Amino acid sequence: MRKVKLNKHCYIKTSSEKGIIANVLSGESLLFDKAGAIWLSNLSYIAKPIDEIVDNLLKIYSADRQILEHDVHDFFVSLEKEGYTTIEECPPFPESMVIALTSQCNEKCVHCYIPNKQKLQHKTLNKDLVIKVINDFKNGGGKEVCFTGGEIFLYQDLMEIIKNAKKKSLEVSLLSNLSILPESFLNDLKNNVDRIQVSLYSIREDIHDIITLRKGSCISTKNNIRRALATGINIKVVCPVLKENWKYVSEVIDFAKALNAEYSIETNITAQSDLNKQNLSHRLTIEELEKFYRQILKYDNSLAKELLKKRDDHDDLLSLLNAPNCEAGYNTILLNSSGVLSPCAGWEDFEYGNINDHSFKEIWERSPQLSFIRDITLQDFKQCVNCEARVYCSHCLACNYCETGSPFKLPVYFCKMAFLKKKIAEEMLN
């Protein structure tokens, strides 16, 4: 599907009698008559399907559709040659998809980006609808699917969904607190799941349980990690770093190493998706974060290097300015427990569309909100272009939005984090 959009350095003015399209960089402009003004009025900075524009024009003109499609295409191609518009193909289906099967969770982690009121709604995706989406995703070229919640093991039809995805030759992973692990699931999980990623905040019960707000959760999670590994299930232990546990993270790493399990740590704690920032009171200050980085550097040098590594950069300024901001809208997408497709798990409030109303394919190809996300590049963040710490910054639109209310407004905390990473990384080289 071909789409067209007005370039960011151009603008349009139309009246009932004429239309003008102008390029502010070159100072050039084109003048059109009444008919041209109507065609120009269909342009916007967000890419639109050309066939949608044709549909709009057919409401005005009595014309043969095929001839009109040809004329519209030629019109926008001529504008593209002059630097006013860009014609693009819709990207292929994403390779990776996250599906939140349920909003229900048996823990109330103090730092969680999902509001507790949302978890209490106990929204659950229909099994048949999930299977249809998985089929569409695979047929479109999808490669891996991650099932999450809420708590994934509270979803009634979990194993049927997992087996269906695996039969489609998809890579299957789960995100879980693993406080629940039915014995009857173990062999099926071993045979159908590539990895379960488990959140473990501390091996100390008092520390872990004060974060999850569920007494006994530490014992349950540790025991189930052991059971899963003993069955042959691949487990990755992930430890989010908070005020409550940062001094004890090395103990979690030791626990994972002793079991020959994969492990990682997470320092990017974001505000809640409803813009509530109360959970950020559990995030480390920049001063605490520096102490933590230096502590990990002494304890596990390879892990420290992973935390402090640079983002991939571009060889020239033009490529840098025009590159997509992130994988959202291209290689990743989230389906939440209400049936809404959105950029990622941290930004559920930004809706591409609902699969209860439209097909996955229709939303992927036609959603104006998706086109909006795809059009965001570093050009939209002028202060970042020449920033010395740019390659150490996650540059996350979801983090921006949840903390500031705008994807284009940068949280000061993450800027400071980037410069801190740069400082310590450079010290490591000297």
Side-chain angles (χ1 to χ4, degrees), residues 391-416:
V391 293
Y392 293 95
C393 180
S394 62
H395 223 280
C396 175
L397 299 176
C399 293
N400 294 355
Y401 173 80
C402 292
E403 193 157 337
T404 71
S406 167
F408 301 107
K409 187 175 180 181
L410 304 176
V412 173
Y413 181 89
F414 288 106
C415 292
K416 290 182 177 180

Side-chain angles (χ1 to χ4, degrees), residues 245-290:
N245 71 339
W246 71 273
K247 295 179 181 178
Y248 312 104
V249 170
S250 60
E251 296 175 352
V252 175
I253 297 172
D254 287 339
F255 172 82
K257 285 181 176 179
L259 295 172
N260 291 318
E262 294 181 67
Y263 62 90
S264 68
I265 56 180
E266 179 57 66
T267 56
N268 280 9
I269 307 300
T270 64
Q272 293 186 332
S273 57
D274 63 353
L275 306 185
N276 189 319
K277 294 186 278 189
Q278 290 182 341
N279 64 323
L280 296 185
S281 63
H282 301 277
R283 183 169 70 183
L284 298 186
T285 65
I286 293 298
E287 292 72 26
E288 290 169 332
L289 188 60
E290 179 168 3

Side-chain angles (χ1 to χ4, degrees), residues 319-333:
S319 297
L320 174 68
L321 292 175
N322 291 323
N325 183 79
C326 63
E327 296 293 304
Y330 290 92
N331 288 327
T332 63
I333 196 166

Side-chain angles (χ1 to χ4, degrees), residues 98-102 113 146-152 173-176 334:
V98 177
I99 301 180
L101 293 172
T102 177
Y113 58 82
C146 174
F147 296 110
T148 184
E151 172 45 47
I152 196 67
S173 61
L174 308 181
L175 299 184
S176 172
L334 167 78

Side-chain angles (χ1 to χ4, degrees), residues 172-188:
V172 177
S173 61
L174 308 181
L175 299 184
S176 172
N177 60 46
L178 215 63
S179 61
I180 305 169
L181 185 60
E183 186 72 25
S184 59
F185 281 16
L186 288 173
N187 284 331
D188 282 338

Side-chain angles (χ1 to χ4, degrees), residues 156-174:
Q156 184 175 355
D157 300 306
L158 177 62
M159 287 315 308
E160 185 176 350
I161 294 291
I162 288 173
K163 289 178 181 178
N164 176 271
K166 202 60 185 175
K167 284 180 181 177
K168 300 292 181 184
S169 299
L170 290 168
E171 182 177 324
V172 177
S173 61
L174 308 181

Side-chain angles (χ1 to χ4, degrees), residues 97 99 101 125-139 147 155 157-165 167-168 170 335 355 360:
M97 185 177 193
I99 301 180
L101 293 172
L125 281 172
N126 175 273
K127 176 189 69 176
D128 294 332
L129 187 61
V130 175
I131 290 174
K132 182 181 184 304
V133 170
I134 290 173
N135 291 343
D136 291 345
F137 173 66
K138 173 60 179 179
N139 292 337
F147 296 110
Y155 185 75
D157 300 306
L158 177 62
M159 287 315 308
E160 185 176 350
I161 294 291
I162 288 173
K163 289 178 181 178
N164 176 271
K167 284 180 181 177
K168 300 292 181 184
L170 290 168
L335 174 63
I355 58 166
F360 186 95

Side-chain angles (χ1 to χ4, degrees), residues 200-212 214-222 226 239 244-255 295:
L200 181 64
Y201 303 99
S202 176
I203 62 170
R204 303 186 183 206
E205 295 173 38
D206 57 334
I207 301 297
H208 181 94
D209 293 359
I210 203 173
I211 293 172
T212 64
R214 181 169 179 257
K215 187 172 177 60
S217 60
C218 182
I219 293 176
S220 297
T221 295
K222 288 192 296 183
R226 294 187 183 100
C239 184
E244 291 84 351
N245 71 339
W246 71 273
K247 295 179 181 178
Y248 312 104
V249 170
S250 60
E251 296 175 352
V252 175
I253 297 172
D254 287 339
F255 172 82
Q295 172 185 301

